[in-house]
Amino acid sequence: MTGGTRQMAEAAAEAARCEAAGAADDSAGVPVEVRLLHASAAGPADVLAAHGYLFATPENLAAIAGLMKDFFDRSYYGALDRINGRPYASLICAGSDGRNAARQIERVATGWRLVAVAEPLIVCTHAQTPEQILQTQQIAAADLQRCAELGAAMAAGLALGVY
C-alpha cells in the first residue's frame, strides 16, 4: 500500500532478469524466466509452474500482509507435496522488526518442504507514527541493492542448477 515492498520486489526481479539474460547469452545453464506477480494475482498454478520463489511482503501488525496470507491460503493445499525441495527466499518491508513475518513465511515454506537459499532480507523503514506508516515509502538505495543481489543470486542459482 505504501510502495516499499513493491520497490524491493522490482529491484530483485530486475536484477534476476539481467542475471538470467546474461546466463542465456553465455549459453551456460538452464534458461530462467522471471515473473513478478502481485499476491492477489498469483495462485496454485503459478506456484506449481515456478522452479523457485522469492516471496515479498510488508509486515503489518507483526505479521505478513493480508494479501500474502490470502495467497498462501489459496495456494497451500494445491501445491502441497508437489514442490518439495524447490528453493525460496523472502523480502520483508517492516516498520521496525520484520522477524515475525519472516517466521510466518518460513512456516509455510517448511510445510511446502521448500529449501531456504538465503536468510530473510528484512528492510526496516523505521516508520512508527500513523503518518509515517501510511506515507509512501522510499527504500534506500543500499537496501534496494541488497534486494537486487538476492534476486540475481536466485536467478544464477537456478540457471546453474545449483538449486
Side-chain angles (χ1 to χ4, degrees):
M1 292 187 300
T2 63
T5 304
R6 178 187 45 77
Q7 293 168 56
M8 294 169 62
E10 287 175 353
E14 181 59 29
R17 284 187 191 101
C18 289
E19 183 66 34
D25 290 344
D26 292 340
S27 299
V30 178
V32 174
E33 177 188 349
V34 177
R35 295 181 65 210
L36 178 60
L37 298 174
H38 192 275
S40 63
D46 301 298
V47 174
L48 293 172
H51 292 99
Y53 315 93
L54 184 51
F55 301 116
T57 186
E59 182 181 57
N60 291 338
L61 302 172
I64 59 175
L67 289 174
M68 183 59 98
K69 169 80 166 65
D70 175 69
F71 159 73
F72 285 138
D73 286 344
R74 289 182 291 105
S75 303
Y76 188 80
Y77 292 107
L80 189 61
D81 287 330
R82 298 173 71 189
I83 58 173
N84 298 6
R86 294 184 190 177
Y88 88 96
S90 59
L91 301 169
I92 293 121
C93 185
S96 61
D97 186 60
R99 292 176 296 179
N100 195 53
R103 278 190 295 275
Q104 287 178 306
I105 292 172
E106 181 182 357
R107 290 179 63 110
V108 171
T110 297
W112 270 341
R113 294 166 190 80
L114 301 178
V115 177
V117 297
E119 291 294 318
L121 196 160
I122 299 171
V123 172
C124 291
T125 64
H126 304 289
Q128 297 300 304
T129 67
E131 295 78 21
Q132 291 171 332
I133 292 167
L134 294 173
Q135 75 182 17
T136 300
Q137 300 298 312
Q138 184 57 48
I139 304 301
D143 289 324
L144 291 176
Q145 180 60 37
R146 292 173 39 216
C147 297
E149 290 167 0
L150 181 55
M154 178 69 94
L158 288 167
L160 294 172
V162 174
Y163 309 133

